[in-house]
Amino acid sequence: MTTDTPARLLTLLSLLQTPREWPGGELADRLGVSRRTVRRDIDRLRELGYPVQATMGADGGYRLVAGKAMPPLVLDDEEAVAIAVGLRAGAGHAVAGLDEASVRALAKLEQVLPSRLRHRVATLQSATTPLTSGDGPSIAPETLTVMASTVAGHERLRFAYRAADGSETRRVTEPYRLVSTGRRWYLVAYDLDRDDWRTFRVDRVSEPFATGARFAPRELPTGDAAEYLRHSMQRRNDSYDIAVVFLAPVETVAPLVPHWLGTPEAVDGGSSCVVRATVSGSVEWIAARLATTGLEFRVREPAELVECVRELGARLGRAAATG
């Protein structure tokens, strides 16, 4: 039983900010209170300016909707527009460090933006072009927000999918998690037609549609979406066990090394550090990604990566000499 009313209201608000409709009984169970208390708390949120909509009937419930103004206490209009534009710009690329939490934040914010602010965000987005982009292909932010909403709300997702060979299919899935590798976004989901777990590259997804059909989440075989994706990629591609020593301390290296390379470990008394990981993909791309850190490093293994780094260095040296 939650007796602290302010804490309970904050918990209730956090639940309602998830883009889905919550039955009153489910909210009562989550909060450990009666349905009558939930109704009183909903009235308190409305008094604070939060536009909570209620629907009647057996399938009815509560959800936070876009109102005439932004809900108070958090953001003014300018802050809301600035954050939405920033999140949309970042969500279009699989940038290292931009994880599922950022996409969920974008989905929550756009859900409650008044129409006038949504128009401003769209106008700013269409009128600007970034000078640089992430390593991976661009993705429509709306695609990510639809997916994030269905993941959070345990709602079946339908979409068109283009495979690597160019073939196109329609998929109906139970989405589990969105995962960023630093280059691309992937969706880990249970494919209902194939009766098995699958991973989908989000840049190959089109026409994502939240069906409204709820489902009880299944247990993922590995228990962790990132680990499942890693195993899936290793089955499909060549993988390498890499070890790279950076000639700088951990605190310098960690912000510059993509998370898929692992966590730097201090060596040589802390003056250097080593990163170890099992990665898939071309060694040429791995070598180029290491070079873009701007740090001095030494590749220990594998031999393929050592040779690729050597060739890349020679090629860049010849390019500079020619210039």
Side-chain angles (χ1 to χ4, degrees), residues 8-14 16 38-52 64 71-72:
R8 190 175 67 244
L9 286 175
L10 287 175
T11 303
L12 175 59
L13 181 59
S14 177
L16 291 174
V38 169
R39 289 194 294 270
R40 287 203 301 264
D41 287 347
I42 292 293
D43 289 338
R44 290 189 180 101
L45 290 178
R46 288 168 175 162
E47 290 171 2
L48 290 172
Y50 289 94
V52 182
L64 197 64

mmCIF file with all atom_site columns, all heavy atoms in Angstrom, residues 8-14 16 38-52 64 71-72:
data_model
loop_
_atom_site.group_PDB
_atom_site.id
_atom_site.type_symbol
_atom_site.label_atom_id
_atom_site.label_alt_id
_atom_site.label_comp_id
_atom_site.label_asym_id
_atom_site.label_entity_id
_atom_site.label_seq_id
_atom_site.pdbx_PDB_ins_code
_atom_site.Cartn_x
_atom_site.Cartn_y
_atom_site.Cartn_z
_atom_site.occupancy
_atom_site.B_iso_or_equiv
_atom_site.pdbx_formal_charge
_atom_site.auth_seq_id
_atom_site.auth_comp_id
_atom_site.auth_asym_id
_atom_site.auth_atom_id
_atom_site.pdbx_PDB_model_num
ATOM 1   N N   . ARG A 1 8  ? 3.298   8.689  -4.695  1.00 0.00 ? 8  ARG A N   1
ATOM 2   C CA  . ARG A 1 8  ? 2.362   7.895  -5.499  1.00 0.00 ? 8  ARG A CA  1
ATOM 3   C C   . ARG A 1 8  ? 1.937   8.648  -6.752  1.00 0.00 ? 8  ARG A C   1
ATOM 4   O O   . ARG A 1 8  ? 1.813   8.074  -7.836  1.00 0.00 ? 8  ARG A O   1
ATOM 5   C CB  . ARG A 1 8  ? 1.144   7.521  -4.659  1.00 0.00 ? 8  ARG A CB  1
ATOM 6   C CG  . ARG A 1 8  ? 0.235   6.492  -5.327  1.00 0.00 ? 8  ARG A CG  1
ATOM 7   C CD  . ARG A 1 8  ? -0.894  6.056  -4.424  1.00 0.00 ? 8  ARG A CD  1
ATOM 8   N NE  . ARG A 1 8  ? -1.832  7.132  -4.159  1.00 0.00 ? 8  ARG A NE  1
ATOM 9   C CZ  . ARG A 1 8  ? -2.049  7.667  -2.951  1.00 0.00 ? 8  ARG A CZ  1
ATOM 10  N NH1 . ARG A 1 8  ? -1.382  7.211  -1.901  1.00 0.00 ? 8  ARG A NH1 1
ATOM 11  N NH2 . ARG A 1 8  ? -2.918  8.644  -2.785  1.00 0.00 ? 8  ARG A NH2 1
ATOM 12  N N   . LEU A 1 9  ? 1.710   9.959  -6.624  1.00 0.00 ? 9  LEU A N   1
ATOM 13  C CA  . LEU A 1 9  ? 1.330   10.764 -7.788  1.00 0.00 ? 9  LEU A CA  1
ATOM 14  C C   . LEU A 1 9  ? 2.439   10.784 -8.831  1.00 0.00 ? 9  LEU A C   1
ATOM 15  O O   . LEU A 1 9  ? 2.182   10.714 -10.036 1.00 0.00 ? 9  LEU A O   1
ATOM 16  C CB  . LEU A 1 9  ? 0.979   12.187 -7.357  1.00 0.00 ? 9  LEU A CB  1
ATOM 17  C CG  . LEU A 1 9  ? -0.360  12.385 -6.650  1.00 0.00 ? 9  LEU A CG  1
ATOM 18  C CD1 . LEU A 1 9  ? -0.506  13.832 -6.173  1.00 0.00 ? 9  LEU A CD1 1
ATOM 19  C CD2 . LEU A 1 9  ? -1.512  12.009 -7.564  1.00 0.00 ? 9  LEU A CD2 1
ATOM 20  N N   . LEU A 1 10 ? 3.694   10.878 -8.369  1.00 0.00 ? 10 LEU A N   1
ATOM 21  C CA  . LEU A 1 10 ? 4.817   10.867 -9.308  1.00 0.00 ? 10 LEU A CA  1
ATOM 22  C C   . LEU A 1 10 ? 4.911   9.517  -10.019 1.00 0.00 ? 10 LEU A C   1
ATOM 23  O O   . LEU A 1 10 ? 5.176   9.450  -11.225 1.00 0.00 ? 10 LEU A O   1
ATOM 24  C CB  . LEU A 1 10 ? 6.121   11.171 -8.577  1.00 0.00 ? 10 LEU A CB  1
ATOM 25  C CG  . LEU A 1 10 ? 6.320   12.624 -8.130  1.00 0.00 ? 10 LEU A CG  1
ATOM 26  C CD1 . LEU A 1 10 ? 7.591   12.753 -7.307  1.00 0.00 ? 10 LEU A CD1 1
ATOM 27  C CD2 . LEU A 1 10 ? 6.371   13.562 -9.330  1.00 0.00 ? 10 LEU A CD2 1
ATOM 28  N N   . THR A 1 11 ? 4.695   8.434  -9.270  1.00 0.00 ? 11 THR A N   1
ATOM 29  C CA  . THR A 1 11 ? 4.710   7.108  -9.890  1.00 0.00 ? 11 THR A CA  1
ATOM 30  C C   . THR A 1 11 ? 3.582   6.974  -10.897 1.00 0.00 ? 11 THR A C   1
ATOM 31  O O   . THR A 1 11 ? 3.765   6.455  -12.010 1.00 0.00 ? 11 THR A O   1
ATOM 32  C CB  . THR A 1 11 ? 4.583   6.017  -8.814  1.00 0.00 ? 11 THR A CB  1
ATOM 33  O OG1 . THR A 1 11 ? 5.638   6.154  -7.864  1.00 0.00 ? 11 THR A OG1 1
ATOM 34  C CG2 . THR A 1 11 ? 4.632   4.625  -9.443  1.00 0.00 ? 11 THR A CG2 1
ATOM 35  N N   . LEU A 1 12 ? 2.397   7.448  -10.519 1.00 0.00 ? 12 LEU A N   1
ATOM 36  C CA  . LEU A 1 12 ? 1.249   7.398  -11.426 1.00 0.00 ? 12 LEU A CA  1
ATOM 37  C C   . LEU A 1 12 ? 1.516   8.211  -12.687 1.00 0.00 ? 12 LEU A C   1
ATOM 38  O O   . LEU A 1 12 ? 1.228   7.762  -13.809 1.00 0.00 ? 12 LEU A O   1
ATOM 39  C CB  . LEU A 1 12 ? 0.000   7.928  -10.709 1.00 0.00 ? 12 LEU A CB  1
ATOM 40  C CG  . LEU A 1 12 ? -1.280  8.063  -11.554 1.00 0.00 ? 12 LEU A CG  1
ATOM 41  C CD1 . LEU A 1 12 ? -1.688  6.719  -12.136 1.00 0.00 ? 12 LEU A CD1 1
ATOM 42  C CD2 . LEU A 1 12 ? -2.402  8.659  -10.710 1.00 0.00 ? 12 LEU A CD2 1
ATOM 43  N N   . LEU A 1 13 ? 2.088   9.400  -12.530 1.00 0.00 ? 13 LEU A N   1
ATOM 44  C CA  . LEU A 1 13 ? 2.389   10.240 -13.689 1.00 0.00 ? 13 LEU A CA  1
ATOM 45  C C   . LEU A 1 13 ? 3.407   9.564  -14.599 1.00 0.00 ? 13 LEU A C   1
ATOM 46  O O   . LEU A 1 13 ? 3.282   9.597  -15.825 1.00 0.00 ? 13 LEU A O   1
ATOM 47  C CB  . LEU A 1 13 ? 2.914   11.597 -13.219 1.00 0.00 ? 13 LEU A CB  1
ATOM 48  C CG  . LEU A 1 13 ? 3.250   12.613 -14.312 1.00 0.00 ? 13 LEU A CG  1
ATOM 49  C CD1 . LEU A 1 13 ? 2.033   12.917 -15.167 1.00 0.00 ? 13 LEU A CD1 1
ATOM 50  C CD2 . LEU A 1 13 ? 3.798   13.889 -13.689 1.00 0.00 ? 13 LEU A CD2 1
ATOM 51  N N   . SER A 1 14 ? 4.413   8.919  -14.010 1.00 0.00 ? 14 SER A N   1
ATOM 52  C CA  . SER A 1 14 ? 5.415   8.222  -14.810 1.00 0.00 ? 14 SER A CA  1
ATOM 53  C C   . SER A 1 14 ? 4.779   7.105  -15.624 1.00 0.00 ? 14 SER A C   1
ATOM 54  O O   . SER A 1 14 ? 5.109   6.897  -16.799 1.00 0.00 ? 14 SER A O   1
ATOM 55  C CB  . SER A 1 14 ? 6.495   7.650  -13.887 1.00 0.00 ? 14 SER A CB  1
ATOM 56  O OG  . SER A 1 14 ? 7.444   6.913  -14.626 1.00 0.00 ? 14 SER A OG  1
ATOM 57  N N   . LEU A 1 16 ? 1.600   6.978  -16.622 1.00 0.00 ? 16 LEU A N   1
ATOM 58  C CA  . LEU A 1 16 ? 0.728   7.567  -17.636 1.00 0.00 ? 16 LEU A CA  1
ATOM 59  C C   . LEU A 1 16 ? 1.518   8.177  -18.784 1.00 0.00 ? 16 LEU A C   1
ATOM 60  O O   . LEU A 1 16 ? 0.998   8.319  -19.893 1.00 0.00 ? 16 LEU A O   1
ATOM 61  C CB  . LEU A 1 16 ? -0.172  8.633  -16.998 1.00 0.00 ? 16 LEU A CB  1
ATOM 62  C CG  . LEU A 1 16 ? -1.249  8.113  -16.040 1.00 0.00 ? 16 LEU A CG  1
ATOM 63  C CD1 . LEU A 1 16 ? -1.965  9.279  -15.361 1.00 0.00 ? 16 LEU A CD1 1
ATOM 64  C CD2 . LEU A 1 16 ? -2.264  7.244  -16.783 1.00 0.00 ? 16 LEU A CD2 1
ATOM 65  N N   . VAL A 1 38 ? -7.117  5.514  -7.046  1.00 0.00 ? 38 VAL A N   1
ATOM 66  C CA  . VAL A 1 38 ? -6.594  5.868  -8.370  1.00 0.00 ? 38 VAL A CA  1
ATOM 67  C C   . VAL A 1 38 ? -7.418  6.989  -8.978  1.00 0.00 ? 38 VAL A C   1
ATOM 68  O O   . VAL A 1 38 ? -6.868  7.945  -9.540  1.00 0.00 ? 38 VAL A O   1
ATOM 69  C CB  . VAL A 1 38 ? -6.591  4.629  -9.299  1.00 0.00 ? 38 VAL A CB  1
ATOM 70  C CG1 . VAL A 1 38 ? -6.308  5.040  -10.742 1.00 0.00 ? 38 VAL A CG1 1
ATOM 71  C CG2 . VAL A 1 38 ? -5.553  3.613  -8.847  1.00 0.00 ? 38 VAL A CG2 1
ATOM 72  N N   . ARG A 1 39 ? -8.752  6.895  -8.871  1.00 0.00 ? 39 ARG A N   1
ATOM 73  C CA  . ARG A 1 39 ? -9.610  7.944  -9.436  1.00 0.00 ? 39 ARG A CA  1
ATOM 74  C C   . ARG A 1 39 ? -9.338  9.291  -8.764  1.00 0.00 ? 39 ARG A C   1
ATOM 75  O O   . ARG A 1 39 ? -9.295  10.332 -9.430  1.00 0.00 ? 39 ARG A O   1
ATOM 76  C CB  . ARG A 1 39 ? -11.082 7.550  -9.284  1.00 0.00 ? 39 ARG A CB  1
ATOM 77  C CG  . ARG A 1 39 ? -11.508 6.414  -10.200 1.00 0.00 ? 39 ARG A CG  1
ATOM 78  C CD  . ARG A 1 39 ? -13.024 6.288  -10.268 1.00 0.00 ? 39 ARG A CD  1
ATOM 79  N NE  . ARG A 1 39 ? -13.589 5.875  -8.978  1.00 0.00 ? 39 ARG A NE  1
ATOM 80  C CZ  . ARG A 1 39 ? -13.783 4.621  -8.606  1.00 0.00 ? 39 ARG A CZ  1
ATOM 81  N NH1 . ARG A 1 39 ? -13.439 3.626  -9.425  1.00 0.00 ? 39 ARG A NH1 1
ATOM 82  N NH2 . ARG A 1 39 ? -14.328 4.334  -7.440  1.00 0.00 ? 39 ARG A NH2 1
ATOM 83  N N   . ARG A 1 40 ? -9.142  9.284  -7.439  1.00 0.00 ? 40 ARG A N   1
ATOM 84  C CA  . ARG A 1 40 ? -8.832  10.536 -6.737  1.00 0.00 ? 40 ARG A CA  1
ATOM 85  C C   . ARG A 1 40 ? -7.487  11.102 -7.196  1.00 0.00 ? 40 ARG A C   1
ATOM 86  O O   . ARG A 1 40 ? -7.336  12.313 -7.387  1.00 0.00 ? 40 ARG A O   1
ATOM 87  C CB  . ARG A 1 40 ? -8.827  10.306 -5.224  1.00 0.00 ? 40 ARG A CB  1
ATOM 88  C CG  . ARG A 1 40 ? -10.207 10.101 -4.606  1.00 0.00 ? 40 ARG A CG  1
ATOM 89  C CD  . ARG A 1 40 ? -10.185 10.435 -3.129  1.00 0.00 ? 40 ARG A CD  1
ATOM 90  N NE  . ARG A 1 40 ? -9.216  9.611  -2.410  1.00 0.00 ? 40 ARG A NE  1
ATOM 91  C CZ  . ARG A 1 40 ? -9.504  8.488  -1.765  1.00 0.00 ? 40 ARG A CZ  1
ATOM 92  N NH1 . ARG A 1 40 ? -10.765 8.039  -1.763  1.00 0.00 ? 40 ARG A NH1 1
ATOM 93  N NH2 . ARG A 1 40 ? -8.576  7.806  -1.138  1.00 0.00 ? 40 ARG A NH2 1
ATOM 94  N N   . ASP A 1 41 ? -6.503  10.210 -7.362  1.00 0.00 ? 41 ASP A N   1
ATOM 95  C CA  . ASP A 1 41 ? -5.193  10.676 -7.814  1.00 0.00 ? 41 ASP A CA  1
ATOM 96  C C   . ASP A 1 41 ? -5.251  11.229 -9.228  1.00 0.00 ? 41 ASP A C   1
ATOM 97  O O   . ASP A 1 41 ? -4.552  12.208 -9.562  1.00 0.00 ? 41 ASP A O   1
ATOM 98  C CB  . ASP A 1 41 ? -4.180  9.528  -7.750  1.00 0.00 ? 41 ASP A CB  1
ATOM 99  C CG  . ASP A 1 41 ? -3.784  9.184  -6.329  1.00 0.00 ? 41 ASP A CG  1
ATOM 100 O OD1 . ASP A 1 41 ? -4.085  9.983  -5.411  1.00 0.00 ? 41 ASP A OD1 1
ATOM 101 O OD2 . ASP A 1 41 ? -3.176  8.115  -6.127  1.00 0.00 ? 41 ASP A OD2 1
ATOM 102 N N   . ILE A 1 42 ? -6.054  10.619 -10.089 1.00 0.00 ? 42 ILE A N   1
ATOM 103 C CA  . ILE A 1 42 ? -6.228  11.146 -11.446 1.00 0.00 ? 42 ILE A CA  1
ATOM 104 C C   . ILE A 1 42 ? -6.806  12.553 -11.385 1.00 0.00 ? 42 ILE A C   1
ATOM 105 O O   . ILE A 1 42 ? -6.374  13.461 -12.123 1.00 0.00 ? 42 ILE A O   1
ATOM 106 C CB  . ILE A 1 42 ? -7.148  10.225 -12.272 1.00 0.00 ? 42 ILE A CB  1
ATOM 107 C CG1 . ILE A 1 42 ? -6.466  8.867  -12.557 1.00 0.00 ? 42 ILE A CG1 1
ATOM 108 C CG2 . ILE A 1 42 ? -7.561  10.893 -13.582 1.00 0.00 ? 42 ILE A CG2 1
ATOM 109 C CD1 . ILE A 1 42 ? -5.278  8.945  -13.459 1.00 0.00 ? 42 ILE A CD1 1
ATOM 110 N N   . ASP A 1 43 ? -7.776  12.769 -10.502 1.00 0.00 ? 43 ASP A N   1
ATOM 111 C CA  . ASP A 1 43 ? -8.368  14.107 -10.345 1.00 0.00 ? 43 ASP A CA  1
ATOM 112 C C   . ASP A 1 43 ? -7.320  15.105 -9.867  1.00 0.00 ? 43 ASP A C   1
ATOM 113 O O   . ASP A 1 43 ? -7.311  16.265 -10.309 1.00 0.00 ? 43 ASP A O   1
ATOM 114 C CB  . ASP A 1 43 ? -9.531  14.062 -9.345  1.00 0.00 ? 43 ASP A CB  1
ATOM 115 C CG  . ASP A 1 43 ? -10.752 13.345 -9.916  1.00 0.00 ? 43 ASP A CG  1
ATOM 116 O OD1 . ASP A 1 43 ? -10.856 13.278 -11.158 1.00 0.00 ? 43 ASP A OD1 1
ATOM 117 O OD2 . ASP A 1 43 ? -11.587 12.871 -9.122  1.00 0.00 ? 43 ASP A OD2 1
ATOM 118 N N   . ARG A 1 44 ? -6.418  14.675 -8.995  1.00 0.00 ? 44 ARG A N   1
ATOM 119 C CA  . ARG A 1 44 ? -5.352  15.573 -8.514  1.00 0.00 ? 44 ARG A CA  1
ATOM 120 C C   . ARG A 1 44 ? -4.431  15.966 -9.669  1.00 0.00 ? 44 ARG A C   1
ATOM 121 O O   . ARG A 1 44 ? -4.017  17.129 -9.774  1.00 0.00 ? 44 ARG A O   1
ATOM 122 C CB  . ARG A 1 44 ? -4.555  14.890 -7.405  1.00 0.00 ? 44 ARG A CB  1
ATOM 123 C CG  . ARG A 1 44 ? -5.324  14.707 -6.104  1.00 0.00 ? 44 ARG A CG  1
ATOM 124 C CD  . ARG A 1 44 ? -4.386  14.228 -4.995  1.00 0.00 ? 44 ARG A CD  1
ATOM 125 N NE  . ARG A 1 44 ? -5.096  14.049 -3.736  1.00 0.00 ? 44 ARG A NE  1
ATOM 126 C CZ  . ARG A 1 44 ? -5.501  12.879 -3.263  1.00 0.00 ? 44 ARG A CZ  1
ATOM 127 N NH1 . ARG A 1 44 ? -5.261  11.774 -3.965  1.00 0.00 ? 44 ARG A NH1 1
ATOM 128 N NH2 . ARG A 1 44 ? -6.125  12.800 -2.109  1.00 0.00 ? 44 ARG A NH2 1
ATOM 129 N N   . LEU A 1 45 ? -4.083  15.007 -10.513 1.00 0.00 ? 45 LEU A N   1
ATOM 130 C CA  . LEU A 1 45 ? -3.228  15.322 -11.658 1.00 0.00 ? 45 LEU A CA  1
ATOM 131 C C   . LEU A 1 45 ? -3.922  16.298 -12.603 1.00 0.00 ? 45 LEU A C   1
ATOM 132 O O   . LEU A 1 45 ? -3.282  17.211 -13.147 1.00 0.00 ? 45 LEU A O   1
ATOM 133 C CB  . LEU A 1 45 ? -2.844  14.050 -12.413 1.00 0.00 ? 45 LEU A CB  1
ATOM 134 C CG  . LEU A 1 45 ? -1.869  13.092 -11.718 1.00 0.00 ? 45 LEU A CG  1
ATOM 135 C CD1 . LEU A 1 45 ? -1.630  11.860 -12.586 1.00 0.00 ? 45 LEU A CD1 1
ATOM 136 C CD2 . LEU A 1 45 ? -0.548  13.785 -11.421 1.00 0.00 ? 45 LEU A CD2 1
ATOM 137 N N   . ARG A 1 46 ? -5.197  16.124 -12.809 1.00 0.00 ? 46 ARG A N   1
ATOM 138 C CA  . ARG A 1 46 ? -5.938  17.056 -13.660 1.00 0.00 ? 46 ARG A CA  1
ATOM 139 C C   . ARG A 1 46 ? -5.939  18.453 -13.072 1.00 0.00 ? 46 ARG A C   1
ATOM 140 O O   . ARG A 1 46 ? -5.833  19.450 -13.796 1.00 0.00 ? 46 ARG A O   1
ATOM 141 C CB  . ARG A 1 46 ? -7.365  16.552 -13.862 1.00 0.00 ? 46 ARG A CB  1
ATOM 142 C CG  . ARG A 1 46 ? -7.468  15.331 -14.779 1.00 0.00 ? 46 ARG A CG  1
ATOM 143 C CD  . ARG A 1 46 ? -8.836  14.709 -14.718 1.00 0.00 ? 46 ARG A CD  1
ATOM 144 N NE  . ARG A 1 46 ? -8.989  13.614 -15.681 1.00 0.00 ? 46 ARG A NE  1
ATOM 145 C CZ  . ARG A 1 46 ? -9.924  12.693 -15.607 1.00 0.00 ? 46 ARG A CZ  1
ATOM 146 N NH1 . ARG A 1 46 ? -10.812 12.721 -14.604 1.00 0.00 ? 46 ARG A NH1 1
ATOM 147 N NH2 . ARG A 1 46 ? -9.981  11.743 -16.518 1.00 0.00 ? 46 ARG A NH2 1
ATOM 148 N N   . GLU A 1 47 ? -6.059  18.547 -11.751 1.00 0.00 ? 47 GLU A N   1
ATOM 149 C CA  . GLU A 1 47 ? -6.022  19.858 -11.097 1.00 0.00 ? 47 GLU A CA  1
ATOM 150 C C   . GLU A 1 47 ? -4.665  20.526 -11.278 1.00 0.00 ? 47 GLU A C   1
ATOM 151 O O   . GLU A 1 47 ? -4.574  21.755 -11.322 1.00 0.00 ? 47 GLU A O   1
ATOM 152 C CB  . GLU A 1 47 ? -6.315  19.691 -9.606  1.00 0.00 ? 47 GLU A CB  1
ATOM 153 C CG  . GLU A 1 47 ? -7.765  19.308 -9.306  1.00 0.00 ? 47 GLU A CG  1
ATOM 154 C CD  . GLU A 1 47 ? -7.974  18.947 -7.845  1.00 0.00 ? 47 GLU A CD  1
ATOM 155 O OE1 . GLU A 1 47 ? -6.999  19.044 -7.068  1.00 0.00 ? 47 GLU A OE1 1
ATOM 156 O OE2 . GLU A 1 47 ? -9.105  18.583 -7.488  1.00 0.00 ? 47 GLU A OE2 1
ATOM 157 N N   . LEU A 1 48 ? -3.610  19.711 -11.414 1.00 0.00 ? 48 LEU A N   1
ATOM 158 C CA  . LEU A 1 48 ? -2.272  20.255 -11.635 1.00 0.00 ? 48 LEU A CA  1
ATOM 159 C C   . LEU A 1 48 ? -2.041  20.627 -13.101 1.00 0.00 ? 48 LEU A C   1
ATOM 160 O O   . LEU A 1 48 ? -0.987  21.179 -13.438 1.00 0.00 ? 48 LEU A O   1
ATOM 161 C CB  . LEU A 1 48 ? -1.213  19.231 -11.208 1.00 0.00 ? 48 LEU A CB  1
ATOM 162 C CG  . LEU A 1 48 ? -1.100  18.980 -9.696  1.00 0.00 ? 48 LEU A CG  1
ATOM 163 C CD1 . LEU A 1 48 ? -0.162  17.813 -9.423  1.00 0.00 ? 48 LEU A CD1 1
ATOM 164 C CD2 . LEU A 1 48 ? -0.618  20.239 -8.978  1.00 0.00 ? 48 LEU A CD2 1
ATOM 165 N N   . GLY A 1 49 ? -2.992  20.287 -13.975 1.00 0.00 ? 49 GLY A N   1
ATOM 166 C CA  . GLY A 1 49 ? -2.885  20.665 -15.379 1.00 0.00 ? 49 GLY A CA  1
ATOM 167 C C   . GLY A 1 49 ? -2.521  19.545 -16.322 1.00 0.00 ? 49 GLY A C   1
ATOM 168 O O   . GLY A 1 49 ? -2.334  19.786 -17.512 1.00 0.00 ? 49 GLY A O   1
ATOM 169 N N   . TYR A 1 50 ? -2.396  18.320 -15.812 1.00 0.00 ? 50 TYR A N   1
ATOM 170 C CA  . TYR A 1 50 ? -2.065  17.203 -16.688 1.00 0.00 ? 50 TYR A CA  1
ATOM 171 C C   . TYR A 1 50 ? -3.337  16.682 -17.356 1.00 0.00 ? 50 TYR A C   1
ATOM 172 O O   . TYR A 1 50 ? -4.285  16.305 -16.667 1.00 0.00 ? 50 TYR A O   1
ATOM 173 C CB  . TYR A 1 50 ? -1.393  16.077 -15.908 1.00 0.00 ? 50 TYR A CB  1
ATOM 174 C CG  . TYR A 1 50 ? 0.008   16.429 -15.476 1.00 0.00 ? 50 TYR A CG  1
ATOM 175 C CD1 . TYR A 1 50 ? 0.254   16.974 -14.219 1.00 0.00 ? 50 TYR A CD1 1
ATOM 176 C CD2 . TYR A 1 50 ? 1.072   16.246 -16.342 1.00 0.00 ? 50 TYR A CD2 1
ATOM 177 C CE1 . TYR A 1 50 ? 1.539   17.309 -13.832 1.00 0.00 ? 50 TYR A CE1 1
ATOM 178 C CE2 . TYR A 1 50 ? 2.359   16.584 -15.967 1.00 0.00 ? 50 TYR A CE2 1
ATOM 179 C CZ  . TYR A 1 50 ? 2.589   17.118 -14.713 1.00 0.00 ? 50 TYR A CZ  1
ATOM 180 O OH  . TYR A 1 50 ? 3.855   17.468 -14.352 1.00 0.00 ? 50 TYR A OH  1
ATOM 181 N N   . PRO A 1 51 ? -3.376  16.653 -18.704 1.00 0.00 ? 51 PRO A N   1
ATOM 182 C CA  . PRO A 1 51 ? -4.595  16.239 -19.422 1.00 0.00 ? 51 PRO A CA  1
ATOM 183 C C   . PRO A 1 51 ? -4.739  14.720 -19.469 1.00 0.00 ? 51 PRO A C   1
ATOM 184 O O   . PRO A 1 51 ? -4.312  14.058 -20.411 1.00 0.00 ? 51 PRO A O   1
ATOM 185 C CB  . PRO A 1 51 ? -4.384  16.824 -20.825 1.00 0.00 ? 51 PRO A CB  1
ATOM 186 C CG  . PRO A 1 51 ? -2.896  16.834 -20.990 1.00 0.00 ? 51 PRO A CG  1
ATOM 187 C CD  . PRO A 1 51 ? -2.310  17.077 -19.633 1.00 0.00 ? 51 PRO A CD  1
ATOM 188 N N   . VAL A 1 52 ? -5.350  14.164 -18.427 1.00 0.00 ? 52 VAL A N   1
ATOM 189 C CA  . VAL A 1 52 ? -5.556  12.724 -18.355 1.00 0.00 ? 52 VAL A CA  1
ATOM 190 C C   . VAL A 1 52 ? -6.944  12.407 -18.904 1.00 0.00 ? 52 VAL A C   1
ATOM 191 O O   . VAL A 1 52 ? -7.952  12.921 -18.417 1.00 0.00 ? 52 VAL A O   1
ATOM 192 C CB  . VAL A 1 52 ? -5.431  12.205 -16.912 1.00 0.00 ? 52 VAL A CB  1
ATOM 193 C CG1 . VAL A 1 52 ? -5.611  10.683 -16.883 1.00 0.00 ? 52 VAL A CG1 1
ATOM 194 C CG2 . VAL A 1 52 ? -4.084  12.591 -16.316 1.00 0.00 ? 52 VAL A CG2 1
ATOM 195 N N   . LEU A 1 64 ? -2.469  9.730  -20.793 1.00 0.00 ? 64 LEU A N   1
ATOM 196 C CA  . LEU A 1 64 ? -2.097  11.135 -20.864 1.00 0.00 ? 64 LEU A CA  1
ATOM 197 C C   . LEU A 1 64 ? -2.141  11.554 -22.324 1.00 0.00 ? 64 LEU A C   1
ATOM 198 O O   . LEU A 1 64 ? -1.554  10.893 -23.188 1.00 0.00 ? 64 LEU A O   1
ATOM 199 C CB  . LEU A 1 64 ? -0.695  11.330 -20.291 1.00 0.00 ? 64 LEU A CB  1
ATOM 200 C CG  . LEU A 1 64 ? -0.270  12.747 -19.911 1.00 0.00 ? 64 LEU A CG  1
ATOM 201 C CD1 . LEU A 1 64 ? -1.141  13.277 -18.786 1.00 0.00 ? 64 LEU A CD1 1
ATOM 202 C CD2 . LEU A 1 64 ? 1.198   12.743 -19.477 1.00 0.00 ? 64 LEU A CD2 1
ATOM 203 N N   . PRO A 1 71 ? 1.935   20.383 -19.942 1.00 0.00 ? 71 PRO A N   1
ATOM 204 C CA  . PRO A 1 71 ? 1.713   20.226 -18.511 1.00 0.00 ? 71 PRO A CA  1
ATOM 205 C C   . PRO A 1 71 ? 2.715   21.068 -17.721 1.00 0.00 ? 71 PRO A C   1
ATOM 206 O O   . PRO A 1 71 ? 3.867   21.233 -18.136 1.00 0.00 ? 71 PRO A O   1
ATOM 207 C CB  . PRO A 1 71 ? 1.957   18.722 -18.288 1.00 0.00 ? 71 PRO A CB  1
ATOM 208 C CG  . PRO A 1 71 ? 1.712   18.103 -19.611 1.00 0.00 ? 71 PRO A CG  1
ATOM 209 C CD  . PRO A 1 71 ? 2.157   19.112 -20.626 1.00 0.00 ? 71 PRO A CD  1
ATOM 210 N N   . PRO A 1 72 ? 2.311   21.633 -16.603 1.00 0.00 ? 72 PRO A N   1
ATOM 211 C CA  . PRO A 1 72 ? 3.193   22.512 -15.827 1.00 0.00 ? 72 PRO A CA  1
ATOM 212 C C   . PRO A 1 72 ? 4.292   21.747 -15.092 1.00 0.00 ? 72 PRO A C   1
ATOM 213 O O   . PRO A 1 72 ? 4.351   20.523 -15.134 1.00 0.00 ? 72 PRO A O   1
ATOM 214 C CB  . PRO A 1 72 ? 2.227   23.165 -14.841 1.00 0.00 ? 72 PRO A CB  1
ATOM 215 C CG  . PRO A 1 72 ? 1.142   22.156 -14.675 1.00 0.00 ? 72 PRO A CG  1
ATOM 216 C CD  . PRO A 1 72 ? 0.986   21.498 -16.014 1.00 0.00 ? 72 PRO A CD  1
#
